[in-house]
Structures are given as structure tokens and as C-alpha cells.
């Protein structure tokens, strides 16, 4: 699916919101060492930049070269293209080797991952003891009852084009496999509820909607999920293009550490 993000990398970089600084401070407080963080599925580096405030080095990887071309430059961040075909040993080596990473993060991207392949890499590279894995994502925006209803209708119309693993987002990670021991920030089946708030224009929201993977998958199949009449309905419910409104993104997070041998035996 990397090609979906290749064609919209620039607009994706311009529309994705920054994650709250408090989230990164919370995660950094969980790791006793702050040498290396790995941001997997980094996209344009939104999370990687936040990690750079707390870790000496950040390795930020993605399967999309287009996304990485538009990544936010930072002296502490090393962006690496990691195609799906890359052997596990090669990936581990690029990340610094076994037991080399203090924090692994996946920000709003885990639903694209092959977890059976990804989690073993995490287990290999996380520092033991002390390494932590954290994943988070967010739901569709909340603005007003009338606007939210139109967004729900858009999502329903896009269901045939949805990545099956997107259910993890709609379920807010409650059924997400997460084979790590808890560290006080959620646990498997029990994510922590968070939220992001921002002030936005209708133009920004419309650009954001046009980056949604379901919208672009449908477009590739000749289906326009955002025709003029839908945009007009959204604009009316928003209150006009010139209006700036507060937007809330309900969010959720789970963090954990590699399981101990005792835990593995019990599981």
C-alpha cells in the first residue's frame, strides 16, 4: 500500500497535525535510557520530531520513499527507507542491532503493519531491561453533531475501500494484539484514552479528508467520495469556509515492555 502515500506525500505532510508534546514527555519518562528511539512508519516524521526532544538519536523508518522525501529535517533524526521486502536481519542491523533501542513508537500507522513480522523485530531491538514499545492513533474528527454525522456517512460510504485492519482504529485498539507487559500506560485490551484539539479552517479539513487512504483507494478505482455536493454539505455544516472551529480528535495509546520469561510461560 506504499503507493497510496507516494502520490499524496506533499499534501500529507502539510495536513497532518503535530502530536502533543506531553505525550512524548510521558513516554520518555518510562525509559531509563535516552540514547535511541525508533519511529516505525514515520511518514513525514511528525512523531520523530517529538521524540528528538528526548532522545539523543531517532531512527525514523518508512516503506514509502515519497513520504520520506517530505520528512521534517532534524539533526537528531536519521530517515531510512525500509521496503517491505527488506530481510529482518538487515532491518535490525540498520536500527543499531539487538538490544539497541530505548523506545519504539508507531504513530497512527500500526494498522498497515504485518504484526507477525513487526513484533519480533521490536523484541530483538528493544533494550532489555528498560526498552519500551508505544503505539497510538486517533479517530475521525469531532466538530458538531451535524458535521460529525456527515463524516460518519462518508466513512460508511468508504467501507468497501477500507483496509481490513482499520478496524483496530474504530475499536480504539481494544482488540489489538499487543504482546508486551504493561508499564502504566494502558495494556493489551485496555488502551489509555487521550485526545488532540486544534483550531482549523474548513480548507484544512477538506485537504485532510483528501489524504485519507480510503478516499485515495476509491479514487484509484474511479470512485469520488468527495464530489462537489458532498463538499458543499460539509461546508454548510461547518458554517462557511471562513470560519475557524475547534476540532477534537479522540485518541488512544498503549505502551509496554518486552515480556519476561515468566510472562511468556504464563501466556
Amino acid at each position: 500500500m506504499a503507493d497510496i502515500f507516494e502520490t499524496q506525500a506533499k499534501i500529507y505532510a502539510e495536513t497532518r497535525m503535530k502530536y502533543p508534546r506531553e505525550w512524548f514527555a510521558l513516554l520518555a519518562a518510562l525509559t531509563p535510557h535516552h540514547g535511541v528511539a525508533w519511529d516505525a512508519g514515520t511518514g513525514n516524521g511528525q512523531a520523530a520530531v517529538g521524540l528528538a526532544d528526548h532522545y539523543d538519536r531517532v531512527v525514523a523508518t518508512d516503506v514509502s520513499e515519497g513520504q520520506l522525501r517530505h520528512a521534517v529535517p532534524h539533526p537528531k533524526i536519521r530517515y531510512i527507507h525500509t521496503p517491505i521486502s527488506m530481510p529482518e536481519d538487515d532491518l535490525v542491523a540498520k536500527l543499531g542491532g539487538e538490544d539497541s533501542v530505548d523506545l519504539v513508537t508507531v504513530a497512527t500507522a500500526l494498522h498497515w503493519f504485518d504484526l507477525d513480522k513487526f513484533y519480533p523485530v521490536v523484541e530483538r531491538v528493544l533494550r532489555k531491561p528498560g526498552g519500551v514499545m508505544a503505539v497510538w492513533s486517533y479517530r475521525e474528527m469531532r466538530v458538531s453533531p451535524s458535521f460529525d454525522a456527515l463524516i460518519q456517512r462518508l466513512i460508511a460510504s468508504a467501507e468497501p475501500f477500507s483496509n481490513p485492519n482499520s478496524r483496530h482504529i474504530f475499536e480504539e485498539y481494544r482488540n489489538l494484539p499487543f504482546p508486551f507487559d504493561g508499564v502504566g500506560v494502558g495494556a493489551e485490551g485496555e488502551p489509555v484514552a487521550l485526545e488532540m484539539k486544534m483550531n482549523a479552517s474548513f480548507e484544512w479539513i477538506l485537504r485532510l479528508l483528501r489524504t485519507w487512504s480510503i478516499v485515495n483507494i476509491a479514487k484509484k478505482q474511479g470512485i469520488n467520495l468527495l464530489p462537489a455536493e458532498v463538499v458543499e454539505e460539509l461546508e454548510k455544516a461547518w458554517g462557511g469556509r471562513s470560519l475557524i472551529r475547534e476540532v477534537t480528535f479522540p485518541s488512544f495509546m498503549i505502551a509496554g515492555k518486552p515480556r519476561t520469561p515468566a510472562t511468556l510461560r504464563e501466556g
Side-chain angles (χ1 to χ4, degrees):
M1 289 294 184
D3 60 320
I4 297 171
F5 300 101
E6 292 285 340
T7 57
Q8 58 178 350
K10 185 175 185 297
I11 187 173
Y12 190 98
E14 294 170 349
T15 56
R16 284 304 187 268
M17 68 292 296
K18 293 181 179 179
Y19 299 108
R21 296 179 64 182
E22 295 80 9
W23 294 9
F24 300 104
L26 168 69
L27 296 175
L30 298 176
T31 65
H33 305 282
H34 299 88
V36 180
W38 171 28
D39 185 41
T42 194
N44 305 123
Q46 290 89 350
V49 172
L51 293 170
D53 288 338
H54 300 277
Y55 292 84
D56 297 335
R57 293 190 296 115
V58 178
V59 182
T61 64
D62 205 282
V63 299
S64 168
E65 291 184 290
Q67 291 281 350
L68 294 176
R69 281 195 294 271
H70 292 279
V72 181
H74 192 287
K76 287 187 177 182
I77 302 174
R78 180 188 177 200
Y79 292 103
I80 303 176
H81 176 229
T82 51
I84 295 173
S85 59
M86 179 177 288
E88 179 179 309
D89 286 346
D90 291 355
L91 176 56
V92 169
K94 284 185 176 294
L95 296 170
E98 310 265 351
D99 301 308
S100 64
V101 175
D102 299 301
L103 177 68
V104 177
T105 58
V106 184
T108 318
L110 197 66
H111 54 291
W112 294 109
F113 286 26
D114 182 335
L115 298 183
D116 290 336
K117 293 182 178 179
F118 177 63
Y119 283 153
V121 175
V122 174
E123 290 278 357
R124 289 180 64 181
V125 302
L126 273 181
R127 184 193 290 264
K128 304 171 193 65
V132 170
M133 162 77 166
V135 299
W136 67 85
S137 190
Y138 56 88
R139 291 288 303 271
E140 64 276 11
M141 65 204 76
R142 301 285 189 267
V143 180
S144 68
S146 59
F147 189 86
D148 297 352
L150 292 175
I151 293 296
Q152 291 303 317
R153 193 179 74 184
L154 173 63
I155 290 172
S157 70
E159 185 175 357
F161 311 101
S162 178
N163 167 14
N165 286 334
S166 294
R167 72 183 188 280
H168 290 310
I169 293 178
F170 296 117
E171 295 167 354
E172 299 183 356
Y173 284 1
R174 286 186 293 271
N175 295 307
L176 175 74
F178 194 76
F180 299 89
D181 284 342
V183 290
V185 181
E188 186 172 44
E190 300 176 352
V192 169
L194 303 167
E195 66 178 17
M196 295 185 288
K197 289 183 178 290
M198 64 178 296
N199 293 323
S201 66
F202 179 74
E203 290 290 349
W204 184 88
I205 291 293
L206 186 57
R207 285 167 64 81
L208 175 65
L209 293 176
R210 286 174 173 156
T211 69
W212 280 11
S213 59
I214 49 177
V215 170
N216 284 276
I217 291 171
K219 185 177 180 180
K220 282 179 172 289
Q221 298 182 32
I223 306 297
N224 182 9
L225 295 178
L226 290 169
E229 56 269 26
V230 171
V231 173
E232 289 173 8
E233 286 185 287
L234 288 167
E235 181 181 346
K236 182 178 179 181
W238 182 268
R241 290 189 178 243
S242 62
L243 185 63
I244 303 296
R245 302 195 65 159
E246 183 179 77
V247 181
T248 299
F249 293 87
S251 310
F252 36 94
M253 177 186 290
I254 310 176
K257 62 183 178 180
R259 287 182 170 173
T260 64
T263 304
L264 293 174
R265 286 194 297 272
E266 292 167 5

